Amino acid sequence: MISAIDPMVALGLCAGLIVLQVPLRGLARCLGGRLPLVLSALSVLLPLILLAPCFDRDRTLVPTGYLRQVLPGATLDGKSDLHGDQLNDVVLQILPWELEVRKAFARGRLAFWSDTLDGGSSPWVNPQAGVLAPISLAARLFPFRYFLIAALAFKLAIAIAGAGFLARRLGMGTAAASIVAVGFGLGGGMLGWALFPLSSTLAFVPWLVAGTLRLVRRPSFAALLSTAVVAAAVLLSGHPEVAAAGGLFAGFLGALVLRRGAGLSRRLGAPALAALLGFCLAAPQLLPFLAALPGSLRVRDRALASSSGAAPESRGPAETNATLFVQAVDGEGFGRPYSRPETLWPITSSSYAGAAAWLGVALALLAALDWRRRRLLVLWLLAFWGAILGISSIPLVLPPILRWISVPEYSRFVPVAALAFCLAGGFGFDALLKGRVRARRGLLALAAAIALAFSVRRSEHAQLCWALLAAATLLALPRGLRWRQAAGAMLLVAAVVDGVRWGRNFLPPGDPKYLYPPTPVTIALQHETQLGGPWRVVGNNSLAPAALLSVYGLADVRPHNPLVPAEVLAPLDAAFDFSPSESEYFGIFHHPDHPLLSFLNVRALVSNPYIVEPTTMVRCGGEVSPPYEVWCNLRALPRWFVPSGFDAVPKAGLAAWIRGMSDPRRVALPPGEGDDLALPSPDAALPDTHLVALTPGQVTLDVDGEGERLLASSVPGPRGWHARAPDGPPLRLLSINGAYLGIRVPPGVHRVELRYIPPGLFAGSLLCFAAVAALIGLGWNRRRWA
């Protein structure tokens, strides 16, 4: 029941979805077709119907049940739910990243750097932060509380319209295309990953495929431009695996419909040119991501698993058997979504395309045998679907030379395979609703589909859906036009009822009161870190999960990001045994008394009496919520300082050097980097540093002293950082303690200006400008496309 409708959600989403139809209908025209009014209506109404429970003032899509468990000092009234347990990335990654991007935009800058995430990191190089994701940009027009709701509504609208338009471009009638649109938009590919960037990327895939089909059939400048823009949207939307699977499916389906004849080379070259232009348009963000990928935690773990002959550890039991196939048959084959903790619902549910899709496939294979060319296309679509599900269900063990193949998570390809399955089913419904199914074969197909569905599970919901589908099929078989029109409407109703009822299970019942509320612990941490800072914080053991505290403006030193550089984790592992991986998703932080904690600028520690008390800190923070305690590290060093000395340490010996560290002010340099560097004598006072200005990614410092000095920091680097004196030449950068930024300050220089620019940004910007120029040139001479 809805206690009170929130007009910000209801009216805002309704207006936004209506306005969205303008670019969608324009895109359809550019791709050589029209978006029927039925599909436009579905893309507006279905998101509103599905999200209607979220219009309640007391409801949010954020899984706040998990926040109540992990936020130190949070009120523990209310029940937790499995949504929070399995969607913890939403509250610990997606939303903290989104807040950092919003802060950057609010201050009139791009999110090149964040001082609070991962001990210092770049949201720009992280695709899932969605800095330039089109759907995220639109959803940022809404307040933060409504971000997930608005983003999901826009995703569904784009996906529903795109899937229906693609079905129309493949020759299906409007009724069959509408059923395809509902199955894809309300299926597991979209709703299983409703709150993740995966569904943002997936929403554009049908449009990418439709653009590819247009280009291989009849190239035009409008189609080239539109497909390139859609390709860029796919690449910018935040999920590389779905983008790769979408491109693969677009090429696969384009090859199936390609016909030989005049202009073959032009029809082959046009999709390749559109893909290249789309890549170049997205290059300002894509190249920095590709530059960061090889050294990331994700690639390191996958490479180690491949070299040891082990399967990627992220795949649990639910993904190594026939679960994906069972869920594809019945979305409640293992119970109502989020009813069992042992099932990985976002992953396993992504193969479900609705009960109607199975009936459509059965009709296409068993009943519409006179459509030979379409039957062949249906078989190829099902082959693509089966191959993706097979690859996702079988762990890959590869030789070292092919270890790069193990980097993608192939279970994230499954939502694109679900689109192929929906299209295959659409051909069966198209045959049924056009009177091209014989009665006996239609009954055989219906019986086969029902038998398959009920071999998995006989839920009341499944019985109701199949009763509607069976009645519609029987209604369409007499071949009368009016009967078939009524049957089409009944099939569409069955698909909507199935999708809405099933899909609402994926909407977390969040409570806005628990949307990152301030607590006595976070208030105490903010107080301690504002005194002479900036300072960082950390949670002892597994308290206050990494990135959670960044929401409160607190810089946690622990990374929680698959793209974090592996070199940043090496010192944390050596000092604190903090080593998150795909097998141990949340790292455990030990040994807070280690001197590296002071080097890392950590001033405050969250702990409790059940963990061994630190011996080098003092309890502070006043009265906080029991059993939580706040400890202060009075030895913490500033984020930028002049070290007392250095040791030349090769990379292989860095972990041992950090474990044996006794003076946090003495640092390690690569061999040969400091041979000609003179440091003050032990009896001399060390020069001070003074922070003049600080914004994320831009720092101005004053450094005391004469002669050449070494300026050390606990900021991850030096990759991407640039240092110079005002109106002077660039300063030489060094690697401190294997992963942090160091600067050699020449004699006579007392002010240092630091700036972070994502590696690859300049080259990506050049490619983007080149793509824009190429499109302008092609548009100027667009007669050649006629």
Side-chain angles (χ1 to χ4, degrees):
M1 295 292 294
I2 298 178
S3 59
I5 292 179
D6 191 331
M8 171 64 76
V9 179
L11 299 179
L13 285 186
C14 186
L17 292 171
I18 293 173
V19 171
L20 181 60
Q21 299 308 307
V22 176
L24 291 180
R25 296 181 71 83
L27 179 58
R29 292 296 297 268
C30 290
L31 295 180
R34 293 185 178 183
L35 193 64
L37 288 176
V38 172
L39 292 177
S40 293
L42 287 174
S43 66
V44 172
L45 295 176
L46 286 185
L48 296 176
I49 294 172
L50 178 73
L51 294 171
C54 300
F55 296 171
D56 195 331
R57 290 182 182 273
D58 299 325
R59 176 82 178 266
T60 178
L61 273 185
V62 180
T64 54
Y66 185 74
L67 271 174
R68 290 199 297 269
Q69 300 177 54
V70 299
L71 179 60
T75 305
L76 294 178
D77 61 331
K79 294 175 58 179
S80 178
D81 61 272
L82 287 177
H83 288 86
D85 295 338
Q86 296 201 7
L87 302 180
N88 60 76
D89 282 349
V90 175
V91 296
L92 298 183
Q93 290 183 326
I94 304 300
L95 291 180
W97 295 339
E98 171 61 22
L99 275 174
E100 284 298 300
V101 175
R102 283 179 173 243
K103 290 176 185 177
F105 285 173
R107 294 168 183 168
R109 61 179 178 83
L110 295 173
F112 288 159
W113 185 261
S114 167
D115 286 322
T116 59
L117 290 171
D118 306 324
S121 64
S122 174
W124 188 269
V125 306
N126 179 9
Q128 295 193 79
V131 178
L132 299 180
I135 291 175
S136 295
L137 290 173
R140 287 180 190 129
L141 297 175
F142 290 76
F144 175 70
R145 171 186 167 180
Y146 308 112
F147 172 74
L148 291 177
I149 299 175
L152 179 55
F154 295 150
K155 295 175 193 180
L156 294 176
I158 294 170
I160 290 168
F165 178 75
L166 174 59
R168 290 282 294 156
R169 300 306 295 165
L170 288 172
M172 299 182 205
T174 301
S178 299
I179 299 171
V180 170
V182 172
F184 178 68
L186 301 183
M190 289 297 300
L191 294 182
W193 299 98
L195 309 185
F196 292 84
L198 188 150
S199 53
S200 301
T201 309
L202 183 64
F204 288 101
V205 169
W207 293 102
L208 178 65
V209 179
T212 303
L213 295 183
R214 168 66 175 179
L215 291 176
V216 300
R217 287 170 169 170
R218 187 180 177 185
S220 68
F221 172 74
L224 176 73
L225 173 62
S226 301
T227 307
V229 171
V230 171
V234 169
L235 293 170
L236 291 172
S237 290
H239 206 278
E241 280 101 340
V242 175
L248 177 65
F249 183 55
F252 174 81
L253 199 54
L256 290 180
V257 303
L258 180 66
R259 295 182 181 180
R260 296 182 180 181
L264 178 62
S265 59
R266 182 164 166 265
R267 288 184 283 115
L268 283 174
L273 179 59
L276 177 61
L277 290 171
F279 178 91
C280 293
L281 290 174
Q285 190 174 11
L286 197 59
L287 288 190
F289 159 67
L290 294 176
L293 184 61
S296 65
L297 168 66
R298 171 70 171 274
V299 172
R300 183 203 69 177
D301 284 355
R302 291 299 174 99
L304 289 175
S306 178
S307 61
S308 64
E313 295 176 337
S314 66
R315 297 190 181 157
E319 297 160 89
T320 55
N321 52 33
T323 304
L324 286 173
F325 291 96
V326 173
Q327 288 287 93
V329 175
D330 187 342
E332 297 187 356
F334 292 93
R336 183 174 55 84
Y338 290 97
S339 63
R340 295 171 21 148
E342 65 272 18
T343 301
L344 302 177
W345 293 104
I347 298 174
T348 57
S349 297
S350 60
S351 59
Y352 184 60
W358 280 99
L359 175 59
V361 168
L363 289 168
L365 292 178
L366 301 177
L369 298 181
D370 52 330
W371 287 14
R372 295 182 180 179
R373 181 175 177 81
R374 291 198 171 189
R375 186 181 64 165
L376 184 61
L377 182 57
V378 167
L379 291 174
W380 278 113
L381 289 171
L382 294 177
F384 181 90
W385 171 78
I388 295 298
L389 263 63
I391 292 173
S392 302
S393 301
I394 302 173
L396 298 178
V397 180
L398 302 167
I401 194 173
L402 297 177
R403 66 180 57 172
W404 62 272
I405 298 179
S406 66
V407 172
E409 179 57 65
Y410 290 101
S411 63
R412 306 319 188 249
F413 283 31
V414 174
V416 177
L419 173 61
F421 193 83
C422 286
L423 292 172
F427 283 113
F429 286 123
D430 194 53
L432 177 68
L433 299 177
K434 289 181 178 178
R436 299 185 180 181
V437 170
R438 300 174 186 174
R440 291 183 179 180
R441 290 179 177 178
L443 293 175
L444 174 63
L446 176 62
I450 293 176
L452 179 63
F454 286 140
S455 68
V456 175
R457 193 168 183 266
R458 296 180 177 85
S459 66
E460 294 182 1
H461 170 61
Q463 294 175 14
L464 172 62
C465 289
W466 280 103
L468 288 173
L469 293 172
T473 304
L474 296 175
L475 194 63
L477 289 179
R479 293 178 175 269
L481 178 59
R482 292 184 179 180
W483 292 103
R484 294 199 302 270
Q485 289 176 339
M490 188 178 293
L491 289 169
L492 183 60
V493 169
V496 170
V497 169
D498 181 23
V500 170
R501 188 269 181 189
W502 181 79
R504 283 183 177 171
N505 292 308
F506 293 90
L507 307 180
D511 189 337
K513 296 194 301 290
Y514 301 104
L515 183 59
Y516 302 109
T519 71
V521 176
T522 61
I523 293 172
L525 291 173
Q526 289 170 338
H527 174 74
E528 296 300 330
T529 54
Q530 288 171 357
L531 302 175
W535 302 106
R536 294 194 180 102
V537 299
V538 74
N540 200 7
N541 202 273
S542 59
L543 297 178
L548 174 60
L549 296 179
S550 70
V551 174
Y552 302 90
L554 300 167
D556 196 323
V557 73
R558 298 166 296 173
H560 186 47
N561 184 348
L563 279 179
V564 65
E567 62 184 14
V568 171
L569 286 173
L572 300 179
D573 185 15
F576 312 111
D577 295 333
F578 180 78
S579 183
S581 63
E582 291 192 329
S583 57
E584 184 165 338
Y585 194 56
F586 299 102
I588 308 298
F589 193 90
H590 300 285
H591 320 305
D593 290 313
H594 194 282
L596 187 68
L597 193 78
S598 297
F599 167 82
L600 291 174
N601 183 238
V602 175
R603 175 77 171 186
L605 172 83
V606 180
S607 189
N608 65 38
Y610 308 107
I611 304 174
V612 177
E613 292 187 355
T615 59
T616 59
M617 302 183 191
V618 296
R619 190 181 283 106
C620 59
E623 292 294 330
V624 296
S625 299
Y628 294 102
E629 302 172 340
V630 175
W631 293 75
C632 289
N633 177 23
L634 302 181
R635 305 186 307 165
L637 294 176
R639 202 166 291 182
W640 301 270
F641 63 93
V642 175
S644 60
F646 66 87
D647 295 317
V649 182
K651 187 175 182 179
L654 189 62
W657 185 90
I658 289 177
R659 281 193 290 267
M661 175 188 287
S662 58
D663 180 6
R665 207 167 187 121
R666 188 174 184 88
V667 299
L669 295 179
E673 290 289 350
D675 292 347
D676 57 343
L677 185 64
L679 291 178
S681 63
D683 298 331
L686 293 174
D688 288 331
T689 60
H690 309 276
L691 182 63
V692 177
L694 171 64
T695 57
Q698 297 186 45
V699 186
T700 302
L701 299 165
D702 281 345
V703 185
D704 296 342
E706 302 297 332
E708 188 171 26
R709 287 139 294 164
L710 174 62
L711 181 60
S713 80
S714 55
V715 176
R719 183 175 173 83
W721 284 99
H722 303 266
R724 62 184 305 146
D727 302 322
L731 303 182
R732 183 178 172 186
L733 303 182
L734 304 172
S735 176
I736 299 289
N737 291 352
Y740 304 98
L741 173 65
I743 308 159
R744 294 186 66 151
V745 183
V749 173
H750 296 282
R751 176 156 289 188
V752 176
E753 296 176 346
L754 296 169
R755 187 176 184 182
Y756 179 84
I757 300 176
L761 177 66
F762 181 72
S765 299
L766 288 179
L767 286 178
C768 183
F769 291 142
V772 172
L775 286 169
I776 292 174
L778 291 171
W780 187 265
N781 298 296
R782 59 182 174 270
R783 289 183 179 180
R784 63 180 297 184
W785 294 92

